[in-house]
Amino acid sequence: MTRSVNLPDSMSTPARRTLRRVPDLLDAGLVPPEAAPVLEDVARRYATAIPPAFYDLIQAPDDPIGRQVIPDAAELLTAPHERADPIGDDALSPVPGIVHRYADRALLKPLLVCPLYCRFCFRREHVGPDGGVLDDDALARALDWLRAHPAIREVILTGGDPLMLSPRRLGAIVRALGDMAHVTTIRVHSRVPVADPGRITGELADALETDRAMWLVVHANHAREFTPAARAALRRIQARAIPVLGQSVLLRGVNDSTAALEGLFRAMVEARIKPYYLHQLDPAPGTAHFHVPIAEGRRLLAGLRGRVTGLAWPTYTLDIPGGHGKVPLGPDYLEPAADGLAVRDPAGGLHKLDAESAPNLALGAREG
Ligand SMILES: *Cc1c(COP(=O)(O)O)cnc(C)c1O
Ligand code: SF4
């Protein structure tokens, strides 16, 4: 792979192991030597991991791949509105490993380890290589809690990253959930297929097989993440009749242009992945440099309308800080007008939906 000229020669040597320490980053040419002391401060606070699959994609440290995984001094700045638990998960945890906010579904977090550590992670105060795995007793208690709550139809395996579990342990969890009569749907949220595709072996994919509805949601933020190896890993999962959805975070310097979003969502559709959510960034500590304002996000998404296949449109979503749940952020296309509503077409033209020209549509305006 050719790399941009502003990197030292050392970067042309691919690293075959995951980079975790500041000296590893220096050796790899990802950070300049003078940044080392401040990055050690960052490293004391937040975990770092750059697996070879991501390292190989970095053409410059501040490119859309590098920005996601290379620690930055800006992470030491915690803005006044940022919080350690941005979406209020802690208050919603009845037993370790469970988060329960919605009546019909719950999160199960069997471990807090990830294949890489996103610099914008909403759980960055919790995840890490030492963040641990629920031990057998804690996992048994979490499963007992799910067993005792028959209103839970869907269990969302998240973390950390559940596909960092061994096939044996993952299979045991999937079987335990499959044995609960009320659990009809199991969802796995993972970054492993793009971050460390070699981990998605046939054996790991087999561990996901169940007679329940199993869905996988892959987290990816840039088209370049969908390498041939990543696509092959996703095919191993899809081959088990598991539908794959995509979730992404809107990030400054990563995907904050209509072209980048178009590339990302097209790459998903072409890998048979339905873009599900584009998340507004959660206000986790030291992530303000990734923030894209909502008004800008709505404009970017509106720019996709009419230009890309409808299969490629995710829901732009805000997880309301404080644990109040997720809501769609638009863009929306209806506007109040003098005697009813007006609707904006993808090219920007405004069309009145008044009682005379569109009685069926305008009626809704009076009711609502
Ligand atoms: C995001 C989230 C879910 C899943 O929400 P969906 O809108 O169904 O994807 C479930 N529980 C919690 C606590 C969450 O934060
Ligand atoms: S993969 Fe998910 S949980 Fe892990 S660091 Fe990235 S955003 Fe956080």
Side-chain angles (χ1 to χ4, degrees), residues 87 89 92 99-102 105-107 123 154 156 187 189 276-277 319 326:
I87 58 172
D89 277 356
L92 299 170
V99 181
H100 186 214
R101 180 194 288 158
Y102 303 106
R105 54 210 193 277
L107 310 184
R123 295 199 184 113
E154 178 178 359
I156 300 166
R187 203 201 296 182
H189 281 194
Y276 174 49
Y277 280 159
D319 212 320
K326 294 183 180 71

Side-chain angles (χ1 to χ4, degrees), residues 114-118 120-124 127 159-161 191 219:
C114 295
L116 50 72
Y117 292 99
C118 305
F120 49 85
C121 173
F122 67 123
R123 295 199 184 113
R124 61 191 328 221
V127 296
D161 196 315
R191 203 144 167 46
H219 169 188

